[in-house]
């Protein structure tokens, strides 16, 4: 028997098979009173009911309880009967009680006369699509929440014409606009006026389209008109066909980073300057050491020549005048080396507790006399000023240097103000000034109403030999001496000046925190001859200096033993038959230095007095800017008068049991 073919079937049979063959759609008919009349295989698969279980039951069985309560089944049939069709999506219920998302269409069924005889219903399970849409919506919402949660970046979209389309919370925080205030406006609103006039917003979009990305740093403007430094990225957004549909724009406020970079650069420049000044200081100190020895020889011999020239058989005024001029030149050279030592922080300081209010008040008259009457000197103290511990002589010289500079900056007269204040240097200030440690300081300000200094002069003002004065009117060592003294005293000094606006020098000196007792001022013995025949051991590696000192001491009646280095001096000290009342030794010598020799000498001869001399201590007897305890020091170059006074003083104090 030949197999049946679909074309051999009548129309009714073919329609029945067609309906039964559709398994992805539930196709069934409903009576006028809402009962299920027919049921295809797709309906059985989709809803889970067999035909015998559902035919004759209300089609409302498939609706959720809440939809039934709302009357949705009846509404659907009424709408289909009225307008011919009802279409909707919503949750429907399977036989097992599970829900699925359905797309349903109800069509009115009419006979040949147009009379309504029932309804045809088509339902499709759209759960997968709905879940996908729901997942997409959740993803979009999650992404939106993520974008909104980013508060450190302004993230927003603009359309191809530059109009703002979206706006996140970071954009509101950084730029100050709410979404309602900015969406729909052009993004060029964030640019500075000069950038808008230069056409930068349009060029940024053109670059993003041409190159696929635009990056830049520059100033942008907030809603309140304030500027901030921004890092900006603009990316083009294209659809599936590659057509430009807008731009994604990300902006970050990098103002703090730029400020930190500038501060780091300033600190690096300060450190470089400090290292340069330290290198110059090392060089200056070395020159001063050798130069001091030469000056000792010059000054010593000039003193001898002057003394002999006063009692010649035939007086020679020209000789006396020449010797006087030579002595003044040598003394000026000695002052120059002293300033070099001050800058190089190699001078021997003798710090004393000082009340800065009293010190400045007592120094005011001296400073006023030094600079003349055309410039007024005013001292402004502070109640409860802290004490400091510095060398008073060098502090006085420092102030004198500063007020003289102020006077020279005010040729038509003016005012110099010296102020005292208690200050605390915090971590932030010390971070910007790395040579200073956090703590309490006494601030001494010297301000004038002079012509001021341009920035390029301020940058070099502390360097030795740098001067803006005419040739022959300054050595350029005044401020370098101030710099070295303050640094050696553990402080800090800064210049604040503008061209035509005057100058302020701020000196920060550490507060003295320990309790101190009032010290009696030292007294020196009167220069004179030795009447007791004391023996002095002179240790000096420079032969000319050694001869000068030995001859000078012999001229004052002392017996002298001379050694060129520590080893020969130790041999003399170990000779118990040799009387030695005092050892006078240079500090800087090849091999064993003078400080170590002094220790060895006092081990060999306990109680032996040692007097050191140096033009460049190199920390052998000076630490943290002050002499070590119990150290007696002569600073080179040494005049015969000073030499005799100090030697006599040390010997007399030993004799008195001090």
């Amino acid at each position: 028997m030949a197999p049946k073919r679909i074309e051999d079937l009548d129309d009714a049979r073919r329609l029945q098979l067609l309906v039964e063959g559709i398994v992805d759609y539930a196709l069934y008919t409903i009576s006028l009173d809402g009962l299920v009349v027919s049921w295809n295989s797709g309906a059985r698969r989709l809803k889970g009911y067999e035909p015998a279980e559902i035919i004759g039951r209300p089609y409302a069985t498939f609706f959720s309880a809440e939809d039934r309560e709302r009357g949705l089944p009846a509404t659907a049939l009424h709408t289909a009967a009225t307008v011919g069709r009802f279409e909707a999506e919503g949750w429907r219920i399977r036989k097992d009680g599970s829900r699925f998302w359905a797309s349903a269409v109800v069509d009115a069924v009419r006979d040949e006369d147009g009379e309504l005889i029932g309804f045809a219903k088509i339902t499709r399970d759209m759960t997968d699509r709905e879940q996908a849409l729901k997942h997409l919506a959740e993803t979009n919402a999650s992404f939106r929440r993520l974008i909104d949660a980013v508060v450190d970046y302004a993230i927003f979209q603009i359309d191809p014409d530059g109009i703002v389309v979206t706006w996140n919370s970071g954009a509101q925080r950084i730029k100050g606009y709410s979404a309602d205030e900015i969406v729909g406006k052009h993004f060029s609103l964030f640019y500075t006026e000069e950038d808008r006039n230069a056409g930068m917003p349009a060029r940024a979009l053109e670059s993003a389209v041409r190159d696929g990305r635009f990056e830049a740093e520059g100033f942008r403007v907030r809603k309140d008109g304030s500027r901030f430094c921004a890092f900006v990225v603009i990316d083009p957004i294209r659809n599936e066909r590659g057509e430009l549909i807008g731009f994604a724009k990300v902006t970050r406020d990098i103002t703090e980073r730029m400020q930190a970079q500038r501060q780091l650069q300033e600190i690096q420049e300060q450190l470089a300057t400090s290292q340069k000044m330290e290198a110059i200081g090392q060089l200056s100190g070395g020159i001063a050491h050798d130069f001091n020895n030469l000056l000792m020889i010059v000054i010593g011999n000039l003193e001898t020549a002057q003394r002999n020239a006063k009692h010649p058989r035939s007086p020679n005024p020209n000789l006396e005048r020449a010797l006087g001029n030579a002595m003044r030149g040598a003394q000026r050279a000695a002052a120059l080396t002293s300033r070099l030592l001050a800058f190089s922080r190699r001078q021997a300081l003798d710090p004393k507790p000082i009340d800065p209010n009293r010190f400045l008040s007592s120094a005011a008259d001296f400073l006023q006399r030094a600079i003349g009457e055309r410039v007024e000197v005013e001292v402004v103290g502070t109640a409860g000023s802290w004490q400091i511990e510095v060398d008073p002589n060098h502090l006085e010289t420092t102030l004198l240097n500063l007020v003289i500079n102020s006077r020279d900056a005010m040729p038509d007269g003016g005012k110099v103000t010296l102020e005292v204040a208690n200050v605390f240097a915090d971590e932030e200030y010390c971070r910007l000034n790395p040579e200073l440690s956090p703590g309490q300081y006494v601030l001494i300000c010297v301000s004038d109403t002079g012509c001021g200094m341009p920035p390029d002069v301020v940058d070099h003002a502390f360097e030795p030999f740098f001067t803006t004065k005419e040739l022959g009117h300054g050595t350029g060592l005044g401020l370098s001496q101030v710099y070295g003294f303050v640094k050696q005293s553990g402080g800090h000094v800064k210049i604040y000046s503008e061209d035509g606006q005057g100058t302020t020098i701020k000196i920060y000196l550490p507060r003295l925190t320990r309790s101190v007792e009032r010290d009696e001022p030292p007294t020196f013995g009167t220069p004179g001859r030795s009447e007791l025949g004391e023996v002095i051991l002179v240790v000096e590696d420079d032969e000319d200096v050694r001869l000068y000192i030995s001859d000078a001491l012999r001229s004052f009646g002392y017996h002298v033993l001379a050694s060129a280095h520590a080893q020969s001096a130790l041999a003399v000290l170990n000779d118990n038959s040799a009387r030695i009342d005092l050892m006078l030794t240079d500090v800087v010598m090849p091999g064993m230095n003078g400080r170590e020799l002094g220790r060895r000498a006092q081990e060999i001869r306990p109680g032996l007095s040692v007097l050191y001399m140096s033009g460049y201590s190199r920390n052998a007897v000076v630490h943290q800017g002050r002499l070590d305890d119990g150290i007696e020091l002569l600073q080179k170059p040494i005049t015969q008068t000073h030499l005799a006074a100090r030697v006599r003083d040390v010997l007399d104090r030993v004799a008195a049991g001090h």
Side-chain angles (χ1 to χ4, degrees), residues 451-633:
C451 59
M453 293 182 279
D456 59 322
V457 173
V458 172
D459 290 341
H460 298 282
F462 287 130
E463 296 178 8
F465 304 112
F466 178 82
T467 180
T468 58
K469 298 177 182 178
E470 295 179 6
L471 188 64
H473 288 78
T475 63
L477 286 172
L479 284 178
S480 63
Q481 184 178 15
V482 171
Y483 177 88
F485 164 68
V486 173
K487 292 297 184 181
Q488 192 173 352
S489 299
H492 181 62
V493 58
K494 288 200 76 171
I495 300 176
Y496 297 88
S497 184
E498 292 184 25
D499 201 4
Q501 300 297 318
T503 298
T504 295
I505 309 290
K506 291 188 175 182
I507 297 174
Y508 298 81
L509 295 170
R511 177 189 182 182
L512 175 61
T513 54
R514 64 181 177 85
S515 58
V516 295
E517 298 179 359
R518 185 178 296 275
D519 292 331
E520 293 296 329
T523 58
F524 296 103
T526 303
R529 296 177 58 82
S530 170
E531 304 295 340
L532 304 175
E534 290 105 334
V535 179
I536 300 175
L537 173 59
V538 176
V539 188
E540 168 63 60
D541 61 300
D542 189 298
E543 182 178 2
D544 291 329
V545 175
R546 187 171 66 251
L547 290 174
Y548 158 64
I549 293 174
S550 299
D551 289 344
L553 290 174
R554 290 190 184 102
S555 71
F556 288 112
Y558 296 102
H559 296 290
V560 177
L561 301 174
S563 294
H565 46 73
Q567 285 71 23
S568 61
L570 289 174
V572 174
L573 290 165
N574 281 310
D575 182 359
N576 293 328
S577 64
R579 172 185 171 181
I580 301 175
D581 297 287
L582 172 70
M583 183 172 74
L584 176 61
T585 178
D586 191 18
V587 174
V588 180
M589 296 187 296
M592 184 185 299
N593 64 40
R595 185 69 177 100
E596 181 60 28
L597 173 61
R599 295 192 187 97
R600 296 282 295 274
Q602 288 173 333
E603 290 174 0
I604 297 170
R605 298 194 178 209
L608 175 66
S609 294
V610 180
L611 179 58
Y612 296 95
M613 48 185 180
S614 178
Y616 183 52
S617 61
R618 291 290 294 181
N619 294 330
V621 294
V622 177
H623 294 87
Q624 286 77 51
R626 66 183 64 202
L627 284 173
D628 295 344
D629 291 339
I631 293 295
E632 298 283 352
L633 180 68

Side-chain angles (χ1 to χ4, degrees), residues 36 41 95 126 199 214 217 368 384 415 570 590 603 621 642:
V36 176
S41 59
K95 176 183 175 181
M126 305 295 291
F214 172 80
E217 290 184 2
Q368 184 69 73
K415 185 177 182 179
L570 289 174
E603 290 174 0
V621 294
H642 193 201

